[in-house]
Amino acid sequence: MASKPDGLRQRPTNGAKGNGHAVGPTDEGKKMDQRLDQHLEYEFGGPWGVVAIMTGFPILMYYLWICLVFYDGQLTFPNSVEDIQPFFGRMWEHIRVDASPSLYAWKVYGGLMIYQLVLAWIVPGFMQEGLPVPSLGYKTLMYKCNALGCLYITWATAAALHYFHIFRLTEIIDNFGHLMSVAMIVGFVVSFGMYFLTVATGNQIRMSGNFIYDVFMGACLNPRIGPIDLKMWLEVRIPWVLVFFMAVSGACKQYEQYGYVTPNMAFMCLATWLYLNACGKGEECIPQTWDMFHEKWGFLVIFWNFAGVPFSYIYSVVYMASHDPSKYQFSTITYVALFTTLLTAYYVWDTSMSQKSRFKMQTQGITTFRNTFPQLPGGTLKNPKFIQTAHGNRLLIDGWWAWSRKPNYVADWIMSLSWGLCIGTASPIPYFYSVFFIAVLVHRVGRDFERCGVKYGKDWEKYCSIVKYKFIPYVY
């Protein structure tokens, strides 16, 4: 494998045949990649659609938080036409008083960002090769996968800060609104800042020519600082670390108030730990994903990881931390069903993601994989079945992927639904995650399948005839 001075690598390929070498695109495939690596059409409703998203989502996040904390978890509306103006006045007052971007919130959120950047830079890690990037002449980038070590250090640091009363973890949930505002500001500043920096340095790719749309979709594909790939760093180190510590913060608050932690809150601690730990222990699989390989680093990804994920996926914890446990108590059998559903969905999600990512690595000639905890049975397919396309790529039709085109999406969504089910019918707001998430997944599937249809042509039709179901076998 050749290594260049610029850090890019070129793996030797043998067309689409393999024979022990990495599988590369054919000449026909390269022409198609060149076509697809340009701006072809507007998505998300075009410029006006992305403006609506960029303004609407922050407003929605404030509104749902206000309803959750100040209106007993129920949606609130103006009582009459005359109440419309006072209603907005009340909403603004909640934001002004309880969600101002305070100096303390800046210290907490900024401290986490800096700490995670420093850890990502200095902690040793496993070097994983990414997929060949068409815009880089099919060279590959190396990714430093040290998230798991960084997470262990972060957990130990947080435990020490809490134990010695330097920073009590309950401060996270108590300052939820203030932290959310800071996260939103960071999301906007980084999104616009990266756009201007990328254009100024001439590294933009796949541009539409419309300013606000290009800010939303992003201008750069592989932003890096030293050994840190910023896109991969932000996908794990901020959102899911915060999500987990939100749950832990809620558990600490319950323990301080009641002397115990409810099974519902324990469920959320387990659920968020599973997700965070999976991101860390399987970090070498992330470079094989669509997010790393194709998605640019714009508002769509930046804002959602800085603010959207940590402050809108965790509403059940916010509700439980501010309401009496009697409002969301279940029977023992219900708790057993809830935990069983979570663990089953997690197993399918973890192993299906592992199967697909390691299959992609195998097509590159990579056969040695990390052994991090926990490695679940079925995560690696031996001699997997696949369709060899005229493009040069291979389409997996084995393991979970023989039954569904997106088994990971199904399992991921079931986990998101369980995050709302853990409080039952006490409030509709914690179900926002699963409702929003299914809309995102359906949209992503539409984008993915449309692109695959163009990219693979008749081979995609053959694939769809073999793997008939998009999501749930024998259902849809």
Side-chain angles (χ1 to χ4, degrees):
M1 178 172 58
S3 181
K4 305 293 184 182
D6 56 10
L8 298 174
R9 296 191 176 192
Q10 184 76 61
R11 275 192 172 270
T13 63
N14 193 24
K17 296 180 180 179
N19 296 331
H21 293 283
V23 177
T26 60
D27 290 339
E28 179 185 339
K30 290 180 179 179
K31 291 179 182 178
M32 181 58 68
D33 287 341
Q34 186 176 10
R35 177 191 169 193
L36 293 174
D37 216 20
Q38 303 174 45
H39 171 72
L40 299 175
E41 60 183 1
Y42 285 122
E43 301 179 72
F44 300 99
W48 287 108
V50 302
V51 167
I53 293 171
M54 293 172 74
T55 55
F57 264 106
I59 294 172
L60 180 62
M61 289 169 65
Y62 277 125
Y63 171 71
L64 294 178
W65 163 72
I66 290 170
C67 292
L68 202 60
V69 175
F70 301 102
Y71 294 90
D72 197 31
Q74 306 306 310
L75 300 178
T76 183
F77 306 98
N79 298 321
S80 62
V81 174
E82 292 76 17
D83 187 46
I84 293 177
Q85 185 174 344
F87 171 82
F88 285 111
R90 294 193 296 273
M91 297 296 103
W92 171 249
E93 191 65 13
H94 287 306
I95 296 172
R96 186 187 69 82
V97 175
D98 294 292
S100 60
S102 64
L103 178 60
Y104 182 75
W106 277 105
K107 289 179 180 178
V108 174
Y109 194 91
L112 175 66
M113 285 179 58
I114 294 170
Y115 192 49
Q116 292 303 315
L117 277 170
V118 170
L119 290 179
W121 193 298
I122 66 174
V123 173
F126 178 85
M127 297 305 296
Q128 175 63 49
E129 187 175 3
L131 292 175
V133 182
S135 60
L136 297 176
Y138 294 95
K139 296 181 176 69
T140 59
L141 290 164
M142 296 302 295
Y143 293 81
K144 184 180 181 182
C145 300
N146 61 357
L148 196 60
C150 295
L151 292 178
Y152 289 147
I153 294 171
T154 301
W155 294 335
T157 303
L161 292 175
H162 181 80
Y163 180 81
F164 291 107
H165 293 262
I166 299 171
F167 175 77
R168 299 291 287 175
L169 291 176
T170 50
E171 291 291 304
I172 300 174
I173 205 73
D174 288 341
N175 288 274
F176 186 93
H178 304 291
L179 290 167
M180 181 171 64
S181 292
V182 169
M184 289 183 185
I185 294 170
V186 171
F188 273 96
V189 170
V190 174
S191 298
F192 280 87
M194 280 305 304
Y195 170 84
F196 288 120
L197 178 62
T198 303
V199 172
T201 55
N203 291 315
Q204 66 269 31
I205 183 176
R206 231 181 296 137
M207 304 294 277
S208 73
N210 181 277
F211 168 69
I212 198 65
Y213 184 82
D214 287 334
V215 170
F216 181 83
M217 297 300 293
C220 58
L221 182 61
N222 306 111
R224 295 195 162 205
I225 297 178
I228 304 172
D229 183 276
L230 291 174
K231 195 161 54 168
M232 190 165 81
W233 171 82
L234 183 56
E235 190 162 304
V236 177
R237 312 304 176 92
I238 299 299
W240 296 109
V241 167
L242 269 174
V243 162
F244 171 69
F245 279 114
M246 288 284 186
V248 172
S249 178
C252 291
K253 190 171 181 66
Q254 275 194 343
Y255 189 80
E256 287 188 357
Q257 285 183 316
Y258 309 115
Y260 65 93
V261 175
T262 63
N264 314 64
M265 190 70 83
F267 172 88
M268 285 304 299
C269 288
L270 172 63
T272 55
W273 177 83
L274 284 172
Y275 215 105
L276 175 59
N277 187 72
C279 291
K281 65 117 175 176
E283 189 183 18
E284 80 281 4
C285 296
I286 296 177
Q288 320 300 322
T289 63
W290 172 269
D291 289 352
M292 294 296 109
F293 171 70
H294 185 80
E295 292 283 20
K296 296 186 291 181
W297 208 48
F299 182 92
L300 173 64
V301 176
I302 294 171
F303 180 86
W304 204 244
N305 281 324
F306 271 125
V309 170
F311 294 96
S312 65
Y313 286 9
I314 206 74
Y315 286 141
S316 56
V317 170
V318 179
Y319 180 86
M320 288 187 284
S322 57
H323 289 80
D324 190 270
S326 62
K327 291 180 175 287
Y328 48 87
Q329 282 184 333
F330 302 149
S331 64
T332 300
I333 190 65
T334 302
Y335 284 122
V336 171
L338 189 63
F339 278 84
T340 301
T341 299
L342 171 68
L343 294 174
T344 302
Y346 173 79
Y347 174 77
V348 175
W349 175 72
D350 185 300
T351 52
S352 63
M353 292 284 284
S354 177
Q355 286 177 0
K356 188 65 167 286
S357 295
R358 289 179 174 176
F359 170 73
K360 290 181 180 180
M361 292 180 201
Q362 289 166 343
T363 64
Q364 290 179 263
I366 301 171
T367 56
T368 302
F369 310 116
R370 294 173 75 198
N371 185 25
T372 48
F373 176 81
Q375 289 297 309
L376 302 178
T380 304
L381 298 173
K382 295 182 179 179
N383 301 314
K385 300 175 185 176
F386 59 86
I387 295 174
Q388 179 65 64
T389 69
H391 173 280
N393 288 355
R394 293 172 174 178
L395 301 175
L396 180 63
I397 52 171
D398 207 344
W400 293 113
W401 302 87
W403 300 95
S404 166
R405 297 178 215 163
K406 293 293 182 182
N408 55 325
Y409 282 9
V410 177
D412 208 352
W413 183 78
I414 291 173
M415 287 193 290
S416 75
L417 178 63
S418 73
W419 290 25
L421 290 172
C422 70
I423 66 154
T425 58
S427 169
I429 295 173
Y431 290 93
F432 168 80
Y433 175 20
S434 58
V435 172
F436 169 77
F437 197 37
I438 197 168
V440 170
L441 295 180
V442 169
H443 178 263
R444 290 195 68 166
V445 164
R447 291 173 70 199
D448 187 18
F449 289 177
E450 181 180 357
R451 185 173 182 273
C452 287
V454 174
K455 185 174 183 178
Y456 299 121
K458 292 183 179 180
D459 289 322
W460 181 251
E461 294 176 9
K462 179 181 178 182
Y463 170 78
C464 292
S465 69
I466 296 174
V467 185
K468 296 181 173 62
Y469 301 99
K470 293 181 180 179
F471 296 108
I472 304 173
Y474 305 107
V475 178
Y476 180 65

